[in-house]
Amino acid sequence: MSRRSADVAKRDAGYHAADMVKDGMIVGLGTGSTAYHAMVRLSARVREEEISVAGVPTSHQTAMRARELGIPLTTLDEHPGLDLAIDGADQVDPSLRLVKGRGAALTREKVVACAAGRLVIVADPGKVVQALSGVVPVEVIPFAATPIMQTLSRMGGAPRVREGKAKDGPVITDNGNFLIDCDFDVIPDPEGLEATLTAIPGVVECGLFCRYTGKTTLVVGEEGGCRVIEGKRA
Ligand code: 5RP
């Protein structure tokens, strides 16, 4: 898929998801380029007074973009339960399990996904995979980074601290932590790996999202329209 078609697919998926939002909803706002398209469409609907909504952003970037777009913001303190969250993903498998965290926002994204009644994942077809594999981002408190790296190496994860692109040294997440990108190659048991990773002392969260499949709707932008897949409730 060309870069342009992927961008069009992201836009179509984002717009489709934004059109699922109803008047009065409290909406989780994901991070990344596909979630941004949803925000653009949401903002147009708010501006045209078609709906009134408030959003909980999953990152500083999303909060800044929402302010620019005129989407009213709120917090989980005000609204611990969200009607719906719209977010992107790096990979999604046939059971709607996800890998997230390219944008380093995985912890807030998971908190928001957990708080939401419905999780709408927006993606281009390149994100849809038969089996999750490769890099799983792991957010860790800096104090514990070295022992966690050792543990991840013993697990066969080929860990690397994520480095900044326009900053020397490690990426610091919105929560003040480090990110370890851990390449597991194949991931035969995503639920087991998520449980193991999040049980390591000092790990804040990992980028595997296996627990929300039952409330997930996947929207994939495709030529001729969006493909919508509903997760199976347990
Ligand atoms: C950020 C994420 C993003 O949702 C994910 O990387 C997808 O991004 P994009 O829509 O730009 O491809 O998990 O932490």
Side-chain angles (χ1 to χ4, degrees), residues 157-177:
R160 270 192 330 180
V161 174
R162 193 181 294 184
E163 297 276 326
K165 289 257 160 55
K167 168 195 180 286
D168 292 341
V171 164
I172 307 295
T173 69
D174 289 358
N175 313 306
N177 296 315

Side-chain angles (χ1 to χ4, degrees), residues 96-180:
L96 306 192
R97 297 175 295 191
L98 314 172
V99 174
K100 289 180 52 53
R102 176 207 50 78
L106 60 102
T107 296
R108 293 188 192 201
E109 289 173 334
K110 199 177 279 191
V111 172
V112 161
C114 179
R118 185 110 224 123
L119 175 62
V120 182
I121 294 297
V122 285
D124 62 85
K127 306 291 182 57
V128 181
V129 298
Q130 273 314 304
L132 303 181
S133 65
V135 171
V136 176
V138 182
E139 181 164 349
V140 309
I141 63 167
F143 176 78
T146 300
I148 290 172
M149 293 277 283
Q150 288 177 351
T151 304
L152 295 173
S153 289
R154 280 197 297 273
M155 289 169 64
R160 270 192 330 180
V161 174
R162 193 181 294 184
E163 297 276 326
K165 289 257 160 55
K167 168 195 180 286
D168 292 341
V171 164
I172 307 295
T173 69
D174 289 358
N175 313 306
N177 296 315
F178 289 179
L179 261 188
I180 299 176

Side-chain angles (χ1 to χ4, degrees), residues 10 31-35 87-90 100-106 109 127:
K10 286 179 181 202
T31 296
S33 55
T34 324
D87 206 347
D90 301 315
K100 289 180 52 53
R102 176 207 50 78
L106 60 102
E109 289 173 334
K127 306 291 182 57

Side-chain angles (χ1 to χ4, degrees), residues 15 48-49:
Y15 280 25
E48 285 156 21
E49 297 184 2

Side-chain angles (χ1 to χ4, degrees), residues 30-98:
T31 296
S33 55
T34 324
Y36 178 65
H37 285 299
M39 288 167 59
V40 169
R41 172 80 186 132
L42 211 48
S43 130
R45 295 186 67 203
V46 168
R47 217 172 33 247
E48 285 156 21
E49 297 184 2
E50 192 185 319
I51 52 169
S52 156
V53 297
V56 173
T58 52
S59 62
H60 291 319
Q61 184 195 56
T62 295
M64 289 159 71
R65 288 175 162 182
R67 280 188 209 103
E68 280 165 22
L69 289 166
I71 300 173
L73 291 179
T74 184
T75 63
L76 287 177
D77 295 318
E78 295 293 327
H79 296 283
L82 309 175
D83 295 295
L84 179 148
I86 301 174
D87 206 347
D90 301 315
Q91 293 179 31
V92 50
D93 79 358
S95 307
L96 306 192
R97 297 175 295 191
L98 314 172

